[in-house]
């Protein structure tokens, strides 16, 4: 069994293209094609379906995909254990996270982590869809996911921050002079809403539903930053997490944020499939996150 063929196979599936897989693996397209043909001959059935739109996994391949990911991950973990015995810190981490988390936390977190473990590779994937991040985590496409905790979950969780949502409006807006803003008042304005593949922001949607206020939003966007700039232009109001507003406080002088009444929060943290089965690289990353972010929160 050539584990390298399975590693390339997963890369092809995740990238959806032989050409894009070449960019990551360093192999030529003909080399990858030869490896995939050889692998399919070994297992005795087609795994990949080649089309004009790219490469897709066959139904038969889908049946064994989870086991292949586990095989590759176990091999990665074994290689890391070998390196530890030899006094080396190596490995690869695939991190999925909210865009706001990527901008706010990842720069300083990864700076510290790279200083400690320069030989561990990092792949950072930004995604606003919780269901997609959960799916990637469940399938093993990513090792860890940073998002907001949901009522239902099937992962192990570390809580990092209770992040309040704030009402956002341009300077001079009638609500800018209020001590707080209610959900009813927001719906009387032109309201901008964050929307991704899951639909409207799940945390905000639950907040309005809990308070019995139907959401009426004329414009939605999958980018918090786009919504922020729309508000800055005086086109309406929005509700955004405090984490993103903290990063933009200096550059966005024409915006006003107010607490919500009743208050709204999201519980930010990270999830893994199993801490017990984590690789050495993942265990070191987990410890680094706790030290950097949790200590930082305690100082505020």
């Amino acid at each position: 069994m050539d584990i390298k063929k399975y590693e390339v196979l997963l890369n092809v599936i995740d990238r959806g293209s032989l050409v894009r897989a070449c960019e990551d693996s360093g192999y030529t397209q003909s080399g990858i094609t030869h490896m995939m043909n050889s692998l399919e001959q070994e297992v005795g059935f087609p795994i990949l379906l080649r089309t004009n739109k790219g490469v897709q996994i066959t139904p038969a391949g889908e049946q064994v995909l989870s086991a292949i990911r586990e095989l590759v991950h176990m091999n990665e973990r074994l290689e890391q254990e070998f390196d530890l015995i030899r006094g080396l810190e190596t490995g690869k981490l695939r991190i999925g996270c909210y865009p706001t988390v990527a901008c706010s936390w990842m720069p300083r977190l990864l700076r510290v982590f790279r200083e400690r473990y320069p030989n561990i590779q990092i792949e950072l994937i930004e995604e606003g869809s919780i269901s997609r991040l959960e799916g990637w985590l469940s399938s093993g496409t990513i090792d860890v996911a940073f998002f907001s905790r949901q009522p239902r979950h099937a992962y192990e969780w570390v809580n990092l921050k209770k992040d309040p949502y704030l009402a956002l409006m341009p300077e001079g807006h009638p609500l800018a002079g209020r001590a707080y803003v209610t959900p009813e008042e927001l719906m009387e304005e032109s309201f901008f809403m964050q929307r991704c593949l899951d639909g409207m922001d799940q945390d905000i949607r639950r907040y309005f539903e809990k308070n019995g206020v139907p959401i009426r939003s004329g414009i939605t966007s999958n980018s918090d930053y786009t919504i922020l700039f729309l508000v800055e232009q005086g086109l309406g109001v929005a509700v955004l997490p405090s984490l993103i507003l903290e990063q933009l406080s200096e550059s966005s002088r024409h915006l006003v944020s107010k607490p919500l009444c009743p208050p709204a929060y999201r519980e930010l943290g990270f999830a893994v499939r199993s801490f017990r089965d984590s690789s050495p690289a993942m265990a070191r990353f987990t410890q680094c996150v706790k030290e950097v972010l949790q200590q930082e929160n305690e100082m505020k």
Side-chain angles (χ1 to χ4, degrees):
M1 178 184 295
D2 184 354
I3 196 69
K4 178 56 69 175
K5 292 180 182 178
Y6 291 101
E7 293 175 353
V8 172
L9 171 65
L10 292 182
N11 195 9
V12 171
I13 293 171
D14 293 340
R15 299 282 277 168
S17 165
L18 292 175
V19 175
R20 289 195 290 269
C22 294
E23 300 171 358
D24 296 336
S25 64
Y27 291 100
T28 63
Q29 185 172 347
S30 61
I32 290 181
T33 299
H34 176 75
M35 293 176 72
M36 296 302 95
N37 290 339
S38 173
L39 179 59
E40 289 178 329
Q41 290 176 3
E42 291 174 8
V43 300
F45 56 83
I47 300 176
L48 297 174
L49 177 65
R50 286 82 162 175
T51 69
N52 292 334
K53 297 181 179 180
V55 178
Q56 298 177 350
I57 188 170
T58 64
E62 192 70 51
Q63 293 183 42
V64 297
L65 180 59
S66 178
I68 290 174
R69 288 196 186 278
E70 287 299 323
L71 174 66
V72 171
H73 288 169
M74 285 300 297
N75 181 70
E76 290 177 355
R77 181 177 177 181
L78 183 61
E79 291 292 340
Q80 290 177 33
E81 294 288 356
F82 289 158
D83 286 339
L84 282 176
I85 294 173
R86 293 192 292 264
L88 303 174
E89 296 277 5
T90 64
K92 181 177 182 179
L93 286 175
R94 294 161 286 260
I95 305 169
C97 66
Y98 278 171
T100 50
V101 170
C103 294
S104 301
W105 287 353
M106 286 301 157
R108 58 183 180 276
L109 175 58
L110 295 183
R111 176 181 57 79
V112 173
F113 187 73
R114 289 303 299 272
E115 288 174 354
R116 296 180 183 180
Y117 311 106
N119 295 320
I120 296 180
Q121 301 176 43
I122 300 291
E123 181 179 348
L124 183 60
I125 306 171
E126 296 181 39
E127 176 56 58
S129 166
I130 295 175
S131 62
R132 176 170 284 186
L133 286 169
E134 289 178 327
W136 289 341
L137 186 65
S138 177
S139 68
T141 304
I142 58 177
D143 302 300
V144 57
F146 286 78
F147 48 39
S148 62
R149 189 173 191 178
Q150 302 302 305
R152 61 11 167 189
H153 67 273
Y155 39 73
E156 295 192 43
W157 176 262
V158 172
N159 195 59
L160 294 172
K161 180 181 177 64
K162 190 174 184 179
D163 188 29
Y165 279 96
L166 299 173
L168 189 68
M169 64 220 60
E171 282 184 345
H173 191 278
L175 295 177
R178 303 289 301 276
Y180 56 81
V181 178
T182 67
E184 291 85 358
E185 290 171 327
L186 288 170
M187 289 303 102
E188 293 174 359
E189 306 291 333
S190 177
F191 184 70
F192 301 128
M193 185 71 183
Q194 201 272 357
R195 187 181 186 92
C196 63
L197 292 176
D198 301 329
M200 292 186 177
D201 183 292
Q202 295 185 41
D203 297 304
I204 290 298
R205 177 179 53 78
R206 280 195 299 271
Y207 170 75
F208 279 93
E209 288 178 352
K210 181 179 179 180
N211 288 282
V213 180
I215 296 178
R216 297 187 297 274
S217 179
I219 298 178
T220 62
S221 172
N222 67 345
S223 169
D224 288 328
Y225 294 97
T226 297
I227 292 175
L228 186 147
F229 295 132
L230 288 170
V231 174
E232 192 173 34
Q233 291 298 313
L235 299 177
V237 300
V239 170
L240 290 177
S242 174
L243 191 64
I244 186 174
L245 299 178
E246 290 174 1
Q247 304 301 312
L248 299 169
S249 58
E250 290 298 322
S251 59
S252 302
R253 300 187 180 91
H254 304 295
L255 294 171
V256 176
S257 61
K258 293 293 178 179
L260 292 170
C261 183
Y265 300 91
R266 62 177 183 174
E267 296 289 343
L268 290 178
F270 69 90
V272 300
R273 286 176 297 167
S274 169
F275 286 110
R276 185 186 64 182
D277 298 329
S278 293
S279 67
M282 185 65 232
R284 280 152 181 74
F285 181 73
T286 299
Q287 184 61 34
C288 184
V289 172
K290 291 179 179 179
E291 291 179 11
V292 175
L293 295 182
Q294 290 186 338
Q295 289 180 7
E296 199 171 273
N297 289 334
E298 291 173 359
M299 293 173 62
K300 293 182 178 179

